[in-house]
Amino acid sequence: MAGGSLLALLDDIASVLDDVALMTKVAAKKTAGVLGDDLALNAQQVSGVRAERELPVVWAVAVGSLKNKAILVPAALAISALAPWAITPLLMLGGAYLCFEGFEKIAHNTLHPDDSHQAQRAQALRDPQVDLVALEKDKIKGAIRTDFILSAEIIVIALGTVAAATFAEQVAVVAGIAVIMTVGVYGLVAGIVKLDDAGFYLSARTGSGKLMNGVRGLGRLLVSAAPKLMKLLSIVGTVAMFMVGGGILTHGWPWASAMLHQAEVAVASVAMIGPALAVVTPSLINAIGGVIAGALVLAGVTAVSALLRMLKSRR
């Protein structure tokens, strides 16, 4: 009897694990789009530090990301169980923040391209005697802050795919996705930021023959491509902020979501290029909406800050 009970228990556990594995695959597919944005944003965030400090910075952000998820996973499960109506407003608040952060970056770079902060950062990167602790902390805090918003969206999407499952299965799938996404994102980020070092290593290899010539050529290609890739990631990271943030806001308002669907259906009917337009249009609309939302939030924050300064000066 005891042996039969043990086998039944093992069979139940195996069945649950099989269901969890299947649901995790589904959740991973649905969160893949956000994962791409997360990768671009975080690679852009941690670029620009000294070469010997790149991996420690990536590691610090990855640890911060795990801490984010250690907070977000139980919080999302609790909110889903106790107050499911609060998930969408909280996500929209995070989306608005992403749009604000992206627009603030553009506005700051446009209006103050040569400000003292940027000059100090450039000097720190050039001068080995300058203490980089403050620069690293700034980058780490910014990357972790951005990661928190994107992690929240990933976790909520994953939770939505297993909404009808048991609580134990929800915990297993959401926690599994959180760990998988963190390892995947920051593993790739570490590879991207060390791409130039790999190129230097390959280009310095000695030896003769076509194979070694090809290895050195590949190294030189990586060295020349790394700065261009980082610049591209900086642009992609900012665009991703608007796309992700705008997408959260768009899907949070039923009327906006309905308009987005109508636009997608309308462009899909265009001859020849309809299917391609249907794929691009939602992302384009989300990005435009994100830019508008970012501008409005920045204007509001600026107005409130000015008002608070004025009231403080009158005291």
Side-chain angles (χ1 to χ4, degrees):
M1 180 67 70
S5 298
L6 178 59
L7 290 175
L9 177 60
L10 291 175
D11 182 64
D12 288 341
I13 293 173
S15 178
V16 169
L17 291 177
D18 186 56
D19 290 342
V20 167
L22 178 61
M23 288 185 290
T24 301
K25 289 180 181 178
V26 174
K29 288 180 180 179
K30 291 195 175 184
T31 57
V34 181
L35 175 64
D37 296 329
D38 201 7
L39 170 64
L41 283 168
N42 284 290
Q44 174 254 321
Q45 288 275 14
V46 300
S47 65
V49 299
R50 295 283 291 277
E52 64 272 17
R53 298 298 303 161
E54 287 173 341
L55 289 183
V57 168
V58 173
W59 172 251
V61 178
V63 171
S65 178
L66 286 174
K67 291 179 180 179
N68 284 342
K69 293 176 177 67
I71 297 170
L72 288 167
V73 169
L77 291 168
I79 293 173
S80 177
L82 302 175
W85 55 267
I87 291 180
T88 298
L90 289 173
L91 269 180
M92 292 180 70
L93 185 63
Y97 176 79
L98 275 181
C99 297
F100 161 74
E101 191 174 16
F103 197 86
E104 184 185 38
K105 176 184 175 183
I106 293 176
H108 184 80
N109 291 340
T110 302
L111 299 176
H112 308 286
D114 300 315
D115 68 355
S116 58
H117 178 70
Q118 295 293 336
Q120 186 179 21
R121 174 177 293 183
Q123 180 184 2
L125 293 175
R126 288 194 301 267
D127 188 353
Q129 302 302 320
V130 173
D131 185 8
L132 299 178
V133 173
L135 175 63
E136 286 190 9
K137 286 184 177 180
D138 179 61
K139 283 190 169 289
I140 291 169
K141 286 171 61 178
I144 293 174
R145 188 169 57 244
T146 301
D147 174 273
F148 188 90
I149 306 300
L150 293 171
S151 294
E153 188 186 15
I154 288 172
I155 289 168
V156 170
I157 291 173
L159 185 60
T161 64
V162 291
T166 65
F167 182 75
E169 289 173 334
Q170 289 180 355
V171 172
V173 171
V174 175
I177 286 293
V179 173
I180 291 170
M181 293 302 180
T182 302
V183 173
V185 166
Y186 290 99
L188 288 173
V189 168
I192 290 172
V193 299
K194 300 305 290 184
L195 190 64
D196 55 347
D197 288 347
F200 283 122
Y201 173 79
L202 293 176
S203 62
R205 300 290 290 174
T206 59
S208 58
K210 292 183 179 180
L211 178 59
M212 294 309 301
N213 289 337
V215 168
R216 286 189 289 270
L218 176 60
R220 290 190 292 270
L221 178 63
L222 292 177
V223 171
S224 63
K228 298 180 179 66
L229 177 61
M230 287 301 179
K231 185 175 181 179
L232 177 63
L233 285 174
S234 179
I235 297 171
V236 171
T238 303
V239 173
M241 286 184 180
F242 294 126
M243 290 178 62
V244 174
I248 294 173
L249 295 175
T250 300
H251 290 89
W253 282 308
W255 61 268
S257 184
M259 288 181 60
L260 183 65
H261 178 68
Q262 291 175 359
E264 187 176 355
V265 171
V267 298
S269 62
V270 177
M272 302 294 290
I273 60 172
L277 288 177
V279 173
V280 174
T281 297
S283 297
L284 180 60
I285 294 177
N286 287 337
I288 293 173
V291 171
I292 295 172
L296 292 175
V297 174
L298 179 59
V301 170
T302 303
V304 171
S305 298
L307 179 61
L308 291 176
R309 284 195 301 268
M310 183 179 66
L311 292 176
K312 186 176 180 180
S313 63
R314 291 183 176 180
R315 291 179 181 177

